[in-house]
mmCIF file of all heavy atoms in Angstrom:
data_model
loop_
_atom_site.group_PDB
_atom_site.id
_atom_site.type_symbol
_atom_site.label_atom_id
_atom_site.label_comp_id
_atom_site.label_asym_id
_atom_site.label_seq_id
_atom_site.Cartn_x
_atom_site.Cartn_y
_atom_site.Cartn_z
ATOM 1 N N GLU A 1 0.879 -1.078 0.067
ATOM 2 C CA GLU A 1 -0.005 0.030 0.050
ATOM 3 C C GLU A 1 0.900 1.232 -0.024
ATOM 4 O O GLU A 1 1.780 1.407 0.744
ATOM 5 C CB GLU A 1 -0.922 -0.096 1.235
ATOM 6 C CG GLU A 1 -1.818 1.148 1.195
ATOM 7 C CD GLU A 1 -2.653 1.218 2.576
ATOM 8 O OE1 GLU A 1 -2.451 0.320 3.410
ATOM 9 O OE2 GLU A 1 -3.466 2.020 2.735
ATOM 10 N N ASN A 2 0.553 2.186 -0.882
ATOM 11 C CA ASN A 2 1.318 3.478 -1.030
ATOM 12 C C ASN A 2 0.512 4.559 -0.276
ATOM 13 O O ASN A 2 -0.546 5.036 -0.793
ATOM 14 C CB ASN A 2 1.492 3.797 -2.442
ATOM 15 C CG ASN A 2 2.422 5.007 -2.634
ATOM 16 O OD1 ASN A 2 3.068 5.385 -1.710
ATOM 17 N ND2 ASN A 2 2.477 5.460 -3.813
ATOM 18 N N LYS A 3 0.957 5.029 0.797
ATOM 19 C CA LYS A 3 0.379 6.039 1.531
ATOM 20 C C LYS A 3 1.440 6.894 2.368
ATOM 21 O O LYS A 3 2.424 6.368 2.672
ATOM 22 C CB LYS A 3 -0.696 5.490 2.503
ATOM 23 C CG LYS A 3 -0.194 4.662 3.597
ATOM 24 C CD LYS A 3 -1.216 4.380 4.711
ATOM 25 C CE LYS A 3 -1.546 5.600 5.497
ATOM 26 N NZ LYS A 3 -2.381 5.395 6.677
ATOM 27 N N ASN A 4 1.012 8.034 2.819
ATOM 28 C CA ASN A 4 1.877 8.808 3.607
ATOM 29 C C ASN A 4 1.570 8.545 5.033
ATOM 30 O O ASN A 4 0.412 9.046 5.541
ATOM 31 C CB ASN A 4 1.750 10.341 3.261
ATOM 32 C CG ASN A 4 2.344 10.659 1.841
ATOM 33 O OD1 ASN A 4 3.272 10.056 1.494
ATOM 34 N ND2 ASN A 4 1.621 11.533 1.116
ATOM 35 N N PHE A 5 2.299 7.875 5.761
ATOM 36 C CA PHE A 5 2.184 7.553 7.151
ATOM 37 C C PHE A 5 2.379 8.777 8.031
ATOM 38 O O PHE A 5 3.136 9.701 7.794
ATOM 39 C CB PHE A 5 2.912 6.453 7.706
ATOM 40 C CG PHE A 5 2.720 5.147 6.962
ATOM 41 C CD1 PHE A 5 3.697 4.565 6.144
ATOM 42 C CD2 PHE A 5 1.611 4.290 7.168
ATOM 43 C CE1 PHE A 5 3.517 3.467 5.394
ATOM 44 C CE2 PHE A 5 1.359 3.170 6.580
ATOM 45 C CZ PHE A 5 2.353 2.772 5.689
ATOM 46 N N THR A 6 1.552 8.895 9.049
ATOM 47 C CA THR A 6 1.839 9.969 10.193
ATOM 48 C C THR A 6 3.154 9.595 10.819
ATOM 49 O O THR A 6 3.587 8.451 10.719
ATOM 50 C CB THR A 6 0.748 9.962 11.171
ATOM 51 O OG1 THR A 6 0.740 8.784 11.926
ATOM 52 C CG2 THR A 6 -0.548 10.193 10.560
ATOM 53 N N LEU A 7 3.704 10.627 11.572
ATOM 54 C CA LEU A 7 4.961 10.305 12.314
ATOM 55 C C LEU A 7 4.760 9.151 13.242
ATOM 56 O O LEU A 7 5.633 8.218 13.302
ATOM 57 C CB LEU A 7 5.304 11.580 12.987
ATOM 58 C CG LEU A 7 6.582 11.527 13.885
ATOM 59 C CD1 LEU A 7 7.890 11.213 13.001
ATOM 60 C CD2 LEU A 7 6.876 12.766 14.849
ATOM 61 N N ALA A 8 3.718 9.095 13.991
ATOM 62 C CA ALA A 8 3.460 8.070 14.887
ATOM 63 C C ALA A 8 3.271 6.721 14.195
ATOM 64 O O ALA A 8 3.836 5.633 14.702
ATOM 65 C CB ALA A 8 2.127 8.325 15.763
ATOM 66 N N GLU A 9 2.652 6.721 13.086
ATOM 67 C CA GLU A 9 2.573 5.383 12.298
ATOM 68 C C GLU A 9 3.894 4.922 11.842
ATOM 69 O O GLU A 9 4.135 3.722 11.905
ATOM 70 C CB GLU A 9 1.622 5.647 11.119
ATOM 71 C CG GLU A 9 0.116 5.691 11.523
ATOM 72 C CD GLU A 9 -0.811 6.102 10.349
ATOM 73 O OE1 GLU A 9 -0.268 6.771 9.386
ATOM 74 O OE2 GLU A 9 -1.940 5.743 10.377
ATOM 75 N N THR A 10 4.689 5.834 11.377
ATOM 76 C CA THR A 10 6.070 5.473 10.819
ATOM 77 C C THR A 10 6.883 4.888 12.075
ATOM 78 O O THR A 10 7.547 3.885 11.932
ATOM 79 C CB THR A 10 6.726 6.580 10.287
ATOM 80 O OG1 THR A 10 5.997 7.157 9.159
ATOM 81 C CG2 THR A 10 8.102 6.171 9.730
ATOM 82 N N ILE A 11 6.837 5.539 13.241
ATOM 83 C CA ILE A 11 7.512 4.961 14.351
ATOM 84 C C ILE A 11 6.996 3.661 14.755
ATOM 85 O O ILE A 11 7.763 2.642 15.018
ATOM 86 C CB ILE A 11 7.315 6.073 15.563
ATOM 87 C CG1 ILE A 11 8.155 7.174 15.295
ATOM 88 C CG2 ILE A 11 7.897 5.405 16.917
ATOM 89 C CD1 ILE A 11 7.813 8.378 16.284
ATOM 90 N N ASP A 12 5.698 3.474 14.757
ATOM 91 C CA ASP A 12 5.136 2.050 15.143
ATOM 92 C C ASP A 12 5.539 0.994 14.094
ATOM 93 O O ASP A 12 5.960 -0.088 14.578
ATOM 94 C CB ASP A 12 3.660 2.145 15.118
ATOM 95 C CG ASP A 12 3.031 2.899 16.292
ATOM 96 O OD1 ASP A 12 3.751 3.156 17.269
ATOM 97 O OD2 ASP A 12 1.877 3.402 16.269
ATOM 98 N N LEU A 13 5.590 1.362 12.873
ATOM 99 C CA LEU A 13 6.024 0.458 11.889
ATOM 100 C C LEU A 13 7.433 0.011 11.878
ATOM 101 O O LEU A 13 7.959 -1.081 11.700
ATOM 102 C CB LEU A 13 5.730 0.862 10.416
ATOM 103 C CG LEU A 13 4.159 0.881 10.075
ATOM 104 C CD1 LEU A 13 3.908 1.713 8.778
ATOM 105 C CD2 LEU A 13 3.716 -0.536 9.873
ATOM 106 N N ARG A 14 8.222 1.145 12.255
ATOM 107 C CA ARG A 14 9.705 0.922 12.452
ATOM 108 C C ARG A 14 9.975 -0.066 13.622
ATOM 109 O O ARG A 14 10.776 -0.990 13.556
ATOM 110 C CB ARG A 14 10.498 2.217 12.654
ATOM 111 C CG ARG A 14 12.016 1.979 12.694
ATOM 112 C CD ARG A 14 12.622 3.410 12.891
ATOM 113 N NE ARG A 14 14.125 3.207 13.186
ATOM 114 C CZ ARG A 14 14.974 3.390 12.358
ATOM 115 N NH1 ARG A 14 14.781 3.821 11.042
ATOM 116 N NH2 ARG A 14 16.289 3.095 12.626
ATOM 117 N N ASN A 15 9.260 0.278 14.784
ATOM 118 C CA ASN A 15 9.369 -0.632 15.855
ATOM 119 C C ASN A 15 9.040 -2.081 15.627
ATOM 120 O O ASN A 15 9.572 -2.979 16.265
ATOM 121 C CB ASN A 15 8.577 -0.121 17.012
ATOM 122 C CG ASN A 15 9.157 1.226 17.629
ATOM 123 O OD1 ASN A 15 10.406 1.488 17.471
ATOM 124 N ND2 ASN A 15 8.310 2.074 18.276
ATOM 125 N N LYS A 16 8.086 -2.273 14.774
ATOM 126 C CA LYS A 16 7.549 -3.623 14.430
ATOM 127 C C LYS A 16 8.462 -4.412 13.509
ATOM 128 O O LYS A 16 8.642 -5.541 13.655
ATOM 129 C CB LYS A 16 6.067 -3.497 13.808
ATOM 130 C CG LYS A 16 5.445 -4.853 13.557
ATOM 131 C CD LYS A 16 4.035 -4.696 12.940
ATOM 132 C CE LYS A 16 3.408 -6.021 12.727
ATOM 133 N NZ LYS A 16 2.100 -5.819 12.198
ATOM 134 N N TYR A 17 8.993 -3.705 12.475
ATOM 135 C CA TYR A 17 9.652 -4.395 11.465
ATOM 136 C C TYR A 17 11.243 -4.122 11.375
ATOM 137 O O TYR A 17 11.869 -4.964 10.733
ATOM 138 C CB TYR A 17 9.119 -3.986 10.121
ATOM 139 C CG TYR A 17 7.737 -4.463 9.882
ATOM 140 C CD1 TYR A 17 6.707 -3.426 9.758
ATOM 141 C CD2 TYR A 17 7.343 -5.697 9.755
ATOM 142 C CE1 TYR A 17 5.292 -3.742 9.601
ATOM 143 C CE2 TYR A 17 6.073 -6.061 9.600
ATOM 144 C CZ TYR A 17 5.059 -5.200 9.512
ATOM 145 O OH TYR A 17 3.731 -5.507 9.277
ATOM 146 N N ILE A 18 11.716 -3.199 12.129
ATOM 147 C CA ILE A 18 13.180 -2.789 11.964
ATOM 148 C C ILE A 18 13.835 -3.282 13.244
ATOM 149 O O ILE A 18 13.209 -3.033 14.403
ATOM 150 C CB ILE A 18 13.434 -1.380 11.667
ATOM 151 C CG1 ILE A 18 12.632 -1.000 10.490
ATOM 152 C CG2 ILE A 18 14.899 -1.110 11.593
ATOM 153 C CD1 ILE A 18 13.040 -1.615 9.179
ATOM 154 N N GLY A 19 15.083 -3.855 13.203
ATOM 155 C CA GLY A 19 15.774 -4.200 14.424
ATOM 156 C C GLY A 19 15.920 -3.113 15.399
ATOM 157 O O GLY A 19 16.225 -1.993 14.976
ATOM 158 N N LYS A 20 15.750 -3.398 16.635
ATOM 159 C CA LYS A 20 15.811 -2.373 17.730
ATOM 160 C C LYS A 20 17.179 -1.846 17.806
ATOM 161 O O LYS A 20 17.376 -0.721 18.424
ATOM 162 C CB LYS A 20 15.304 -3.002 19.025
ATOM 163 C CG LYS A 20 13.879 -3.545 19.134
ATOM 164 C CD LYS A 20 12.873 -2.420 18.820
ATOM 165 C CE LYS A 20 11.484 -2.894 18.842
ATOM 166 N NZ LYS A 20 11.060 -3.998 17.845
ATOM 167 N N SER A 21 18.154 -2.503 17.454
ATOM 168 C CA SER A 21 19.564 -1.898 17.497
ATOM 169 C C SER A 21 19.914 -1.008 16.383
ATOM 170 O O SER A 21 21.042 -0.258 16.426
ATOM 171 C CB SER A 21 20.476 -3.201 17.500
ATOM 172 O OG SER A 21 20.429 -3.960 16.422
ATOM 173 N N CYS A 22 19.009 -0.788 15.410
ATOM 174 C CA CYS A 22 19.261 0.163 14.351
ATOM 175 C C CYS A 22 18.921 1.571 14.888
ATOM 176 O O CYS A 22 17.871 1.942 15.341
ATOM 177 C CB CYS A 22 18.346 -0.177 13.140
ATOM 178 S SG CYS A 22 18.680 -1.627 12.298
ATOM 179 N N GLU A 23 20.008 2.311 15.001
ATOM 180 C CA GLU A 23 19.989 3.638 15.734
ATOM 181 C C GLU A 23 19.324 4.708 14.902
ATOM 182 O O GLU A 23 19.402 4.793 13.678
ATOM 183 C CB GLU A 23 21.424 4.065 16.048
ATOM 184 C CG GLU A 23 21.575 5.206 17.019
ATOM 185 C CD GLU A 23 22.955 5.421 17.439
ATOM 186 O OE1 GLU A 23 23.911 5.110 16.588
ATOM 187 O OE2 GLU A 23 23.235 6.072 18.511
ATOM 188 N N LEU A 24 18.618 5.603 15.682
ATOM 189 C CA LEU A 24 18.096 6.823 15.153
ATOM 190 C C LEU A 24 18.710 8.123 15.760
ATOM 191 O O LEU A 24 19.160 8.041 16.879
ATOM 192 C CB LEU A 24 16.505 6.854 15.550
ATOM 193 C CG LEU A 24 15.461 6.207 14.745
ATOM 194 C CD1 LEU A 24 14.182 6.194 15.428
ATOM 195 C CD2 LEU A 24 15.408 6.720 13.359
#
């Protein structure tokens, strides 16, 4: 799906799919 996620949605998706050790 192609959409513009909100900041909160992007953070949630990152927490779900990206390794926690990947630094921000």
Side-chain angles (χ1 to χ4, degrees):
E1 182 183 1
N2 186 13
K3 65 168 286 187
N4 293 322
F5 296 110
T6 65
L7 177 64
E9 287 173 332
T10 301
I11 291 173
D12 288 343
L13 287 167
R14 183 179 175 105
N15 289 335
K16 183 177 181 179
Y17 293 114
I18 306 300
K20 299 297 186 295
S21 58
C22 294
E23 191 176 23
L24 275 171

